[in-house]
Amino acid sequence: MSAAAIEDVYPSRLTSEPQFNARVDPVVYGGGPGSWLSPEDLQHFEEHGYLFVEHLIGTTEVRELADELRSLSRDEHLRNQEEMITEPGSGAVRSIFRVHRLSPVFERLARNVRLLDVARQVLGSEVYIHQSRANFKPGFMGKEFYWHSDFETWHVEDGMPRMRAISVSVALTENYSFNGPLMVMPGSHKTYVSCVGQTPEDHYKQSLKKQEYGVPDDENLRRLAEGGGIVAPTGPAGSAVFFDCNTIHGSNSNITPHPRTNVFFVYNSVDNALQEPFCGLEPRPEHIATRESFAPLTPVERG
Amino acid sequence: MSAAAIEDVYPSRLTSEPQFNARVDPVVYGGGPGSWLSPEDLQHFEEHGYLFVEHLIGTTEVRELADELRSLSRDEHLRNQEEMITEPGSGAVRSIFRVHRLSPVFERLARNVRLLDVARQVLGSEVYIHQSRANFKPGFMGKEFYWHSDFETWHVEDGMPRMRAISVSVALTENYSFNGPLMVMPGSHKTYVSCVGQTPEDHYKQSLKKQEYGVPDDENLRRLAEGGGIVAPTGPAGSAVFFDCNTIHGSNSNITPHPRTNVFFVYNSVDNALQEPFCGLEPRPEHIATRESFAPLTPVERG
């Protein structure tokens, strides 16, 4: 990377007042490998910062992934690993990190050519996985995730230099409007809302359970929601939402009997490899933000 | 009332196992005054236990009600009254009880001929107000209300003998799918789920903030949701959901910037006046369950 790459073009958690700044990076970089998305899809992603694809993966594969996830969440050995995040209070499994390294079934999904092609088309380069996780929102007592831009945290706490990463959330259960589906604020990816407050040490241990820093203020959230509204895509298991690293998103609680489970991959451009964290603290651990290797991911077709 | 009326046909909180029993009362009693609902509406209510009406009241009246509610929630004198329920933690106003007695504007709404006609048509008699309240689910931090049948509580804690009451929730802000709208389980009104656990003294002081007794168990909630699904009617301010006293309902949290405010009236049949509470404890206070008068409500037309 050139020396210019480590300039902090997206400062946050440095001032006592939140700032509302324009994004300086492209959304769709173009020119990369991959051809799965149509020009209209790319245009939609550029404009709104997300793309919903129904039936991205088939019923058989969904079942296989759900079974694998059940095994992982019952694995007594994993219970004691830092990859496993539990709900405060109940102790129920909330997330399993680095799921594509813990399980060959999930590794295959991460390298599914459709997912990979979307990432490569949008980011205009080869990509690697910055973070992966399975998220469980159990029935009856699923907790909310408050609004945030992932990029703000990845930049400040992980040292991701620029906005050149894309996330995909693949639903392994049906997403109804009422079981706490992912909500996005379309268009919010074009603005960078810097947050107030200094990052505490080992912030990740708390923030994965309840986010308190890196959270946009009410006034700017209202402004973004007025700009482009709120969308909560719903659809059967196997559907997916792709969204830009800077798209503001969150989800409400889930008191229905229907659990909401999804798997989440973050593809980062190999030309956007992590630097030192911009907050000046130690990097977060490997299972939350990979630094071991920024080598391109290669696609697999299902055998 | 005859002596037979005080027989406890809906026992609850008496056994250590929940019971799943058929309703013994009609849903639509028929033969009462009022003609606003069509036979199809009544049929829908009978079958599903709820009825959604868009634009029940007009924009001007919505504005007037919202303004009045703002005044009430800022009223310093009211702040110290038991009618005012605040969020645990933030102290924000969550509910104002007995709102039709605190404000002539809300009294007029309670006596609106359309609301009253629905209640009288369904219950087949004259009606009075058993309880009224305004509910605030603020933006960003609106808390969930867990699933419950109102009748279970009104029966056990207030001594309401039979299922012959109907509620209406009138929206004073737009109900989106994502700002914690009221969810109902259609068809659940035909089953009485008795709950486990004994009622503690002064239970209402806690239950209005967080319900722990009178909550159906997971297995029966799942069974009811499998039977008739879950519906969350959405629509503009001024829309209303009528629902049977025994319809299971609840709502998720609200992290969106859009507050959800509604006003809620419970019409009880004058032939179903309160007895002693079936739990053997003291009755709940007047602002939660009226005992002063069971006199019929008379309609007003808007002047």
Side-chain angles (χ1 to χ4, degrees):
Chain A
M1 302 289 291
S2 70
I6 59 166
E7 184 202 345
D8 187 357
V9 293
Y10 295 113
S12 184
R13 309 191 204 175
L14 295 173
T15 59
S16 59
E17 287 297 313
Q19 309 282 327
F20 201 77
N21 296 315
R23 173 189 187 120
V24 298
D25 293 314
V27 178
V28 175
Y29 282 73
S35 59
W36 198 70
L37 292 182
S38 69
E40 293 70 33
D41 290 338
L42 285 168
Q43 165 83 28
H44 183 282
F45 190 86
E46 155 72 34
E47 199 171 320
H48 303 292
Y50 81 98
L51 189 70
F52 177 60
V53 181
E54 264 199 40
H55 303 293
L56 182 76
I57 60 171
T59 321
T60 314
E61 197 173 354
V62 166
R63 205 175 304 124
E64 192 187 359
L65 291 160
D67 288 347
E68 175 76 355
L69 210 49
R70 222 179 333 266
S71 304
L72 291 172
S73 60
R74 284 175 186 164
D75 185 323
E76 280 307 318
H77 173 68
L78 260 182
R79 277 267 160 188
N80 305 313
Q81 305 294 308
E82 55 185 359
E83 279 90 345
M84 194 80 113
I85 310 295
T86 53
E87 296 267 359
S90 73
V93 178
R94 177 168 173 155
S95 299
I96 304 176
F97 275 80
R98 223 170 63 99
V99 70
H100 74 298
R101 299 297 294 277
L102 295 175
S103 150
V105 179
F106 281 98
E107 197 222 347
R108 212 157 58 227
L109 178 63
R111 293 169 57 201
N112 179 306
V113 67
R114 272 162 294 169
L115 277 69
L116 213 47
D117 260 19
V118 172
R120 297 192 294 186
Q121 270 185 278
V122 168
L123 305 179
S125 69
E126 294 294 344
V127 299
Y128 72 96
I129 297 262
H130 167 65
Q131 184 189 93
S132 78
R133 67 206 277 188
N135 291 314
F136 300 81
K137 185 173 285 207
F140 304 114
M141 54 168 195
K143 296 286 179 294
E144 65 201 32
F145 278 84
Y146 198 68
W147 299 110
H148 61 287
S149 146
D150 288 326
F151 178 76
E152 195 272 348
T153 296
W154 299 339
H155 181 70
V156 173
E157 300 192 26
D158 299 339
M160 184 182 284
R162 308 296 288 247
M163 294 182 186
R164 196 172 181 178
I166 182 173
S167 299
V168 61
S169 171
V170 181
L172 299 184
T173 50
E174 181 153 357
N175 277 342
Y176 299 94
S177 69
F178 44 66
N179 66 340
L182 178 74
M183 301 186 285
V184 300
M185 292 192 183
S188 60
H189 63 306
K190 298 209 169 169
T191 303
Y192 182 63
V193 182
S194 75
C195 305
V196 302
Q198 232 186 333
T199 315
E201 271 188 58
D202 285 345
H203 176 228
Y204 73 92
K205 288 185 185 166
Q206 275 314 308
S207 71
L208 299 177
K209 300 197 180 197
K210 189 176 188 322
Q211 185 119 14
E212 287 180 62
Y213 298 85
V215 165
D217 58 299
D218 289 2
E219 192 190 316
N220 280 316
L221 282 176
R222 191 174 284 119
R223 199 165 150 187
L224 291 170
E226 273 167 11
I230 292 171
V231 168
T234 56
S239 305
V241 186
F242 292 91
F243 55 104
D244 180 81
C245 59
N246 189 44
T247 300
I248 300 277
H249 61 286
S251 64
N252 280 319
S253 66
N254 177 23
I255 66 165
T256 77
H258 308 289
R260 184 176 79 89
T261 306
N262 59 37
V263 55
F264 178 75
F265 298 123
V266 183
Y267 298 97
N268 189 24
S269 167
V270 295
D271 298 329
N272 194 36
L274 302 193
Q275 309 291 324
E276 292 306 304
F278 289 92
C279 60
L281 296 176
E282 284 294 300
R284 299 196 297 175
E286 185 63 26
H287 69 282
I288 298 181
T290 309
R291 298 175 170 272
E292 261 172 21
S293 163
F294 307 120
L297 219 54
T298 53
V300 282
E301 303 281 354
R302 261 180 81 80
Chain B
M1 304 288 292
S2 71
I6 59 165
E7 184 200 347
D8 187 357
V9 293
Y10 295 112
S12 185
R13 309 191 204 175
L14 294 173
T15 59
S16 58
E17 287 298 311
Q19 310 281 329
F20 200 79
N21 295 315
R23 173 188 186 120
V24 298
D25 293 313
V27 178
V28 174
Y29 282 72
S35 59
W36 197 70
L37 292 182
S38 69
E40 292 71 31
D41 290 337
L42 285 168
Q43 165 83 27
H44 183 283
F45 191 86
E46 155 73 36
E47 199 171 320
H48 303 292
Y50 81 98
L51 190 71
F52 177 60
V53 182
E54 265 198 39
H55 304 293
L56 182 77
I57 58 171
T59 322
T60 314
E61 197 172 354
V62 167
R63 205 174 305 123
E64 190 187 2
L65 290 160
D67 287 347
E68 176 76 356
L69 210 48
R70 222 180 334 267
S71 305
L72 291 172
S73 59
R74 285 176 184 160
D75 185 321
E76 281 307 318
H77 173 68
L78 260 183
R79 277 266 161 189
N80 306 313
Q81 306 294 307
E82 54 185 0
E83 279 91 344
M84 194 82 111
I85 310 294
T86 53
E87 296 268 358
S90 72
V93 178
R94 176 167 173 155
S95 300
I96 304 175
F97 274 79
R98 223 170 64 99
V99 69
H100 74 297
R101 300 296 295 275
L102 295 176
S103 148
V105 178
F106 282 97
E107 197 223 346
R108 211 156 59 226
L109 178 63
R111 294 171 56 203
N112 179 305
V113 68
R114 273 162 293 167
L115 277 69
L116 213 47
D117 259 19
V118 173
R120 298 192 293 186
Q121 270 185 281
V122 168
L123 304 179
S125 69
E126 294 293 343
V127 299
Y128 72 96
I129 297 260
H130 167 65
Q131 184 189 91
S132 77
R133 66 204 278 186
N135 290 313
F136 300 80
K137 186 172 286 208
F140 304 114
M141 54 165 194
K143 294 288 178 295
E144 65 201 32
F145 277 84
Y146 198 69
W147 299 111
H148 61 286
S149 145
D150 287 327
F151 178 75
E152 196 274 349
T153 297
W154 298 339
H155 181 70
V156 174
E157 299 191 25
D158 299 339
M160 184 183 284
R162 307 298 287 248
M163 295 184 188
R164 197 173 181 177
I166 183 175
S167 300
V168 62
S169 170
V170 181
L172 299 184
T173 50
E174 181 152 357
N175 277 343
Y176 299 94
S177 68
F178 44 66
N179 66 340
L182 178 73
M183 299 186 287
V184 300
M185 292 193 183
S188 60
H189 62 306
K190 297 208 168 169
T191 303
Y192 182 63
V193 182
S194 75
C195 304
V196 303
Q198 233 187 334
T199 315
E201 270 188 60
D202 284 346
H203 175 227
Y204 74 92
K205 289 185 184 165
Q206 275 315 307
S207 72
L208 298 177
K209 300 197 179 198
K210 186 174 187 330
Q211 185 119 10
E212 286 180 63
Y213 298 86
V215 165
D217 59 299
D218 289 1
E219 192 190 315
N220 279 316
L221 282 176
R222 191 174 284 119
R223 200 166 149 187
L224 290 169
E226 272 165 13
I230 292 171
V231 167
T234 55
S239 304
V241 186
F242 292 91
F243 55 104
D244 180 81
C245 59
N246 190 44
T247 300
I248 300 277
H249 61 285
S251 63
N252 280 318
S253 66
N254 177 23
I255 66 165
T256 77
H258 307 288
R260 184 176 81 86
T261 307
N262 58 36
V263 55
F264 178 76
F265 298 122
V266 182
Y267 298 97
N268 189 24
S269 167
V270 294
D271 297 329
N272 194 35
L274 301 194
Q275 308 293 321
E276 291 307 302
F278 289 91
C279 60
L281 297 176
E282 284 295 298
R284 300 196 294 176
E286 185 62 27
H287 68 284
I288 298 180
T290 309
R291 298 175 171 274
E292 261 172 23
S293 162
F294 307 118
L297 220 54
T298 52
V300 281
E301 303 280 353
R302 262 182 78 80

